[in-house]
Amino acid sequence: MDTPAPSLQDMDQMARETIAGLPQPFAKAAQDVALRVVDWPAQDMLDAFDMRDSLELTGLYEGIPVTEKSYMDQPLAPDTVWLFRRPILAEWRARGDIEIVHLVAHVTIHEFAHHFGWSDADIAHIDRWWE
């Protein structure tokens, strides 16, 4: 693979372009979500899923899905989509059959789908990557 690995800023830009291309009403719902692109997931994030290998987690949604929100909710932090650059790069290199921009878009959409209230089963049902 001759393509250089994107920087954190490059990956952030790829994700933001993906978000900007979401159709309505998803684009409007996505505006209230913070996007964070970092190299690795924090240990507490891995612990929440009983993961030992930090390469297993490419992205994470933290928050209350829009389908479960109530006007009574008092958020302690903004809903956040996390993208983990190093695990995404590891998957990209291991696959060898996809452009990095498409993998970043895939992970971004997957995590925002959780914000929209979709379960992993819902996502797998419509996402051809999981077939």
Side-chain angles (χ1 to χ4, degrees):
M1 199 170 279
D2 295 335
T3 306
S7 67
L8 288 167
Q9 294 78 17
D10 294 336
M11 199 171 281
D12 182 85
Q13 184 61 36
M14 290 176 202
R16 290 185 189 284
E17 289 173 6
T18 298
I19 296 163
L22 291 172
Q24 290 297 342
F26 301 109
K28 185 175 184 333
Q31 291 175 356
D32 297 329
V33 178
L35 175 67
R36 300 282 316 268
V37 181
V38 297
D39 273 322
W40 295 104
Q43 187 61 48
D44 64 319
M45 294 172 175
L46 297 171
D47 292 345
F49 295 100
D50 292 324
M51 292 180 172
R52 297 195 189 286
D53 184 356
S54 58
L55 290 174
E56 290 182 69
L57 192 60
T58 56
L60 178 67
Y61 168 66
E62 287 185 322
I64 301 171
V66 294
T67 55
E68 298 174 22
K69 283 192 188 295
S70 165
Y71 71 93
M72 297 292 289
D73 290 332
Q74 294 297 314
L76 301 175
D79 289 0
T80 304
V81 165
W82 294 86
L83 300 182
F84 306 115
R85 179 179 168 269
R86 300 291 295 268
I88 290 171
L89 291 176
E91 181 177 335
W92 172 57
R93 288 183 183 115
R95 289 178 62 101
D97 65 347
I98 188 167
E99 293 180 41
I100 188 65
V101 68
H102 293 140
L103 182 55
V104 170
H106 170 74
V107 175
T108 302
I109 295 296
H110 181 98
E111 298 311 328
F112 271 89
H114 288 303
H115 172 67
F116 304 140
W118 298 7
S119 68
D120 279 329
D122 294 333
I123 296 166
H125 182 71
I126 64 153
D127 191 344
R128 297 180 193 273
W129 285 45
W130 301 105
E131 290 179 350

